[in-house]
Amino acid sequence: MGYPVILQLRGRRAVVVGGGKVAARKIHGLLEAGAEIVMIAPEAEPELQALAAGGMIVWKKKRFDRDDLAGAFLVIAATNDRKVNEAVTQAAAPGQLVNVVDDPERCDFHVPAVVRRGPLTIAVSTGGASPAVARRIRRELEEKYGEEYRPYLEFLQRARGIVLREVEDAEGRKRLFQALAADSFRQRGRWDEELAQLLANEKKRNGERGEEQ
């Protein structure tokens, strides 16, 4: 059983060995996370060539050697050659996180199937047992949590700062956060208007409590 985490990769080097379709999927995910990506491959898919030409990734057009992992925080071996993938794992230094595609036993971490809706991230993993099942569950979650969750979560992100700034009472904050998280609140869609009313009610409640004391 692994320990689920969300890694902060912005500004950190990720080395992807391989230039095929699997490598492309991994690279797109790393780009979303803001990683600095170096791809090691003698040949690459057209979409990866375009990313390299646009300066989105660095492409070292060569076969892998152990020096290619220098400075890497995260390493993904995404070739269809087991010997190359094994060479990548052997070359990794202590502290470098390594993922070998289609070889769970050689992985320090597994890349889950992910649903992203703005600040909302839902990750599904079977620990490498069945990526197909993980993808099926992801599709189900994509239907359940549609694109409407993106603006809602962006609102909640902003609202949290307002509540923390304007409400000092811990219980009052808890009441507000619960109200904002209710599905009925999301569905009504009057988020800013209702937030203002909830804040006013909470301040009134605190004022009445102060008078009683």
Side-chain angles (χ1 to χ4, degrees):
M1 179 65 68
Y3 184 70
V5 298
I6 294 180
L7 290 175
Q8 298 299 330
L9 296 181
R10 187 164 300 280
R12 291 184 166 182
R13 175 172 290 191
V15 174
V16 178
V17 182
K21 294 185 182 301
V22 174
R25 289 201 302 269
K26 305 302 183 185
I27 285 171
H28 283 297
L30 291 168
L31 281 172
E32 288 185 353
E36 295 181 355
I37 302 167
V38 178
M39 178 178 67
I40 311 298
E43 303 292 337
E45 289 288 312
E47 61 183 299
L48 295 176
Q49 294 182 34
L51 289 175
M56 300 294 291
I57 66 174
V58 174
W59 178 18
K60 293 187 177 180
K61 193 174 182 179
K62 60 187 287 293
R63 295 188 179 279
F64 171 77
D65 66 61
R66 62 186 311 108
D67 292 339
D68 292 325
L69 303 188
F73 173 72
L74 183 148
V75 178
I76 296 180
T79 79
N80 58 6
D81 187 326
R82 287 185 173 273
K83 290 182 179 179
V84 174
N85 291 346
E86 178 62 23
V88 174
T89 62
Q90 294 297 323
Q96 289 181 322
L97 300 176
V98 180
N99 175 270
V100 181
V101 173
D102 291 334
D103 193 352
E105 297 302 317
R106 307 293 291 172
C107 295
D108 293 320
F109 68 96
H110 302 290
V111 180
V114 174
V115 177
R116 296 188 189 276
R117 299 290 185 257
L120 175 65
T121 299
I122 306 173
V124 181
S125 174
T126 60
S130 178
V133 170
R135 288 193 294 270
R136 176 177 59 77
I137 295 173
R138 180 193 63 194
R139 288 193 294 270
E140 294 171 0
L141 290 169
E142 285 175 335
E143 293 179 6
K144 181 175 178 60
Y145 299 96
E147 285 296 336
E148 70 274 11
Y149 273 83
R150 181 184 300 272
Y152 173 55
L153 266 293
E154 289 171 350
F155 162 78
L156 290 181
Q157 196 170 45
R158 177 167 51 86
R160 181 174 180 82
I162 295 172
V163 171
L164 292 175
R165 184 172 63 249
E166 298 193 14
V167 180
E168 296 182 1
D169 177 57
E171 285 301 315
R173 289 176 175 177
K174 183 178 179 180
R175 280 191 296 271
L176 284 171
F177 290 145
Q178 288 177 337
L180 296 175
D183 206 41
S184 56
F185 176 91
R186 177 186 62 82
Q187 291 174 346
R188 286 192 296 272
R190 302 189 305 273
W191 305 331
D192 287 291
E193 177 185 339
E194 292 195 28
L195 171 61
Q197 187 60 56
L198 287 167
L199 286 169
N201 292 344
E202 193 58 44
K203 290 177 181 179
K204 182 179 179 181
R205 185 198 303 267
N206 287 339
E208 291 174 350
R209 184 184 304 147
E211 291 175 3
E212 292 174 359
Q213 295 175 348

